[in-house]
Amino acid sequence: MADVLARALACGGTVRALAAVTTGLVEEARGRHGTAPTATAALGRALTGALLLAATIKRDERLSLEFSGDGPLRGVLADATPDGDARGFVLRPATHLPPRRGKLDVGGALGHGLLCVMRVPLAAGSLYRSVVPLASGEIGADLASYLLVSEQTRAAVGVGVFVDTDGRVAAAGGYLVQALPGASDDALDAVAARVERVATPSELVRDGLGPVDMLQALVGGDLSVLEERQVRFRCRCSRERVAAAILAMGRTEIESVLETDRQAQVTCEFCAARYVVEESELRGLLSAASS
Ligand SMILES: [Zn+2]
């Protein structure tokens, strides 16, 4: 099944409902970063959450989530665009803990800490930044808590990753159900009760449900689907950006790299792509660099 995100409205347009299947892109992230199962679950949940939240913002922004905690994983970064590109990494990819209540212990891996949510304009404009304490470190509950505290909206967020015995991602996905202005408490309570009863997102995806099926299971028949779109792991790094970063180091640094290694090796932390900048290119950058 392809990775797809669906956007819909429910309860006469007063409830926003989104769901996504992200198995392929989370498996790609695992392969790129070589994450152990608990780290894979944390990264996959964060990537899925970033995609869901990014689908609610303006087209000319991207959304960035930064979870930091005192647990062994230390942190997870994920960012996504409204067009469905997501990328991310964890600080300690080898993190794996014994399962808790039959599930990968993402909360234990992150520990206590903070969630920083940023909306970054793609061109000119001002940056929005909000920091809230982690609710549980389980990612979904942390995102719901952020929406309640920072945006004063009731929301249910479920994100899940099922890692197979061979370490690969067998299923990943998530949902976001959020009250919009005008939503009645009764309607929200009914939706919340229904969301409570439904299986976890990774179970729904394992059962073969697509995003629209997931939304139907979550909010019922009164659903108007606005859009379904593909989502993917895609990074914004490039040789040009690497060259610009080297240029920004300044003459002295570039000279020192030329003297010692003769080439610069740069690994993108978001996607693990490796760039090698050869001596001739470094000399070109040196002549363009300021002192
Ligand atoms: Zn990259």
Side-chain angles (χ1 to χ4, degrees), residues 87 235-237 268 270-273:
R87 61 177 194 164
C235 192
R236 293 186 300 280
C237 67
C268 173
F270 276 97
C271 71

Side-chain angles (χ1 to χ4, degrees), residues 143-192:
L143 294 173
S145 162
Y146 153 75
L147 289 168
L148 187 63
V149 172
S150 275
E151 301 195 359
Q152 274 103 49
T153 57
R154 280 177 68 184
V157 183
V159 283
V161 176
F162 183 82
V163 179
D164 225 330
T165 47
D166 63 359
R168 288 170 184 269
V169 176
Y175 59 77
L176 164 64
V177 180
Q178 185 183 23
L180 294 174
S184 78
D185 282 337
D186 287 352
L188 290 174
D189 290 342
V191 169

Side-chain angles (χ1 to χ4, degrees), residues 37-268:
T38 311
T40 302
L43 178 57
R45 289 184 195 180
L47 286 168
T48 305
L51 281 165
L52 290 167
L53 281 184
T56 71
I57 65 174
K58 289 187 289 183
R59 280 321 261 238
D60 57 355
E61 294 179 323
R62 68 181 168 85
L63 185 113
S64 159
L65 302 177
E66 192 177 328
F67 298 83
S68 51
D70 59 7
L73 188 66
R74 311 308 295 178
V76 188
L77 264 88
D79 75 26
T81 67
D83 293 330
D85 293 349
R87 61 177 194 164
F89 64 97
V90 298
L91 294 183
R92 302 269 171 84
T95 305
H96 185 55
L97 300 182
R100 217 167 104 239
R101 285 188 232 115
K103 291 190 171 179
L104 289 165
D105 188 9
V106 173
L110 258 177
H112 300 282
L114 298 170
L115 163 61
C116 172
V117 179
M118 282 193 290
R119 291 202 308 263
V120 186
L122 295 177
S126 54
L127 180 132
Y128 162 93
R129 187 168 185 272
S130 172
V131 180
V132 295
L134 292 180
S136 64
E138 295 284 344
I139 310 290
D142 304 314
L143 294 173
S145 162
Y146 153 75
L147 289 168
L148 187 63
V149 172
S150 275
E151 301 195 359
Q152 274 103 49
T153 57
R154 280 177 68 184
V157 183
V159 283
V161 176
F162 183 82
V163 179
D164 225 330
T165 47
D166 63 359
R168 288 170 184 269
V169 176
Y175 59 77
L176 164 64
V177 180
Q178 185 183 23
L180 294 174
S184 78
D185 282 337
D186 287 352
L188 290 174
D189 290 342
V191 169
R194 215 180 148 114
V195 168
E196 281 287 308
R197 286 197 304 272
V198 169
T200 65
S202 57
E203 286 166 343
L204 296 173
V205 175
R206 283 185 87 194
D207 287 344
L209 272 67
V212 174
D213 309 321
M214 286 167 74
L215 290 176
Q216 247 136 19
L218 287 162
V219 296
D222 167 33
L223 190 72
S224 105
V225 178
L226 305 174
E227 183 192 17
E228 282 185 88
R229 71 165 86 112
Q230 296 211 339
V231 291
R232 65 207 72 80
F233 188 101
R234 183 182 285 165
C235 192
R236 293 186 300 280
C237 67
S238 64
R239 285 203 74 82
E240 290 70 29
R241 279 173 193 252
V242 168
I246 291 173
L247 195 57
M249 297 189 324
R251 286 194 73 87
T252 322
E253 273 295 312
I254 299 173
E255 273 166 354
S256 131
V257 170
L258 276 167
E259 274 163 32
T260 51
D261 301 325
R262 294 212 158 146
Q263 60 172 22
Q265 294 187 17
V266 180
T267 302
C268 173

Side-chain angles (χ1 to χ4, degrees), residues 17-29:
L18 302 105
V21 173
T22 55
T23 311
L25 74 92
V26 175
E27 168 60 10
E28 178 169 349

